[in-house]
Amino acid sequence: MFGDMMGMMGKLKETQKKVEETKKRLDTVLIDENSTNNLLKVTITANRKISGITIDNKLLEDKEQLEDYLILTLNKAIEKATKIQESELAAVAKEGMPNIPGLDSFMK
């Protein structure tokens, strides 16, 4: 029993390391999101850090329109990044979880 516990602890530490490696890798995964009229482009990482914004000069003439496009486009990009991040981290965590009876049905 004690050996099983030590094995599980080792597996959990290994999983934690893989999660951290995945988080670092997600810093390199870039997501581009464009406004509906392609006058604004936002680039963020899968860890939801903005890495670039490109604004067409036409949008600089209308502050309110620019603000609206920024909000909409950033929110869409963040939503995509969140889905990617959650999916990647869940896959790593599930792979590394020790086989605990009944845990599968609890996690659903």
Side-chain angles (χ1 to χ4, degrees):
M1 181 172 168
F2 186 69
D4 288 345
M5 189 67 120
M6 292 302 289
M8 283 195 309
M9 293 300 288
K11 188 135 176 112
L12 287 173
K13 283 185 179 187
E14 182 181 320
T15 299
Q16 184 177 16
K17 182 180 176 188
K18 286 182 180 179
V19 165
E20 292 305 317
E21 289 170 355
T22 300
K23 285 180 181 179
K24 286 180 184 176
R25 185 179 56 77
L26 290 174
D27 275 333
T28 66
V29 175
L30 298 178
I31 297 140
D32 291 326
E33 184 64 42
N34 293 300
S35 62
T36 53
N37 60 3
N38 293 319
L39 296 179
L40 175 73
K41 176 183 164 187
V42 172
T43 303
I44 67 171
T45 69
N47 281 328
R48 299 182 306 261
K49 293 181 181 165
I50 298 169
S51 65
I53 297 177
T54 305
I55 302 170
D56 189 288
N57 287 334
K58 293 176 191 170
L59 281 178
L60 297 177
E61 299 166 7
D62 187 343
K63 181 180 179 282
E64 281 185 34
Q65 185 181 24
L66 173 58
E67 290 170 346
D68 289 343
Y69 278 127
L70 276 168
I71 291 168
L72 291 170
T73 308
L74 282 166
N75 282 332
K76 283 196 283 184
I78 291 168
E79 186 178 321
K80 284 182 180 178
T82 299
K83 286 180 182 176
I84 291 170
Q85 183 189 50
E86 288 174 353
S87 173
E88 292 284 327
L89 292 177
V92 170
K94 185 175 181 176
E95 173 187 309
M97 288 297 290
N99 188 17
I100 300 172
L103 186 64
D104 246 4
S105 60
F106 179 75
M107 298 293 279
K108 292 180 183 177

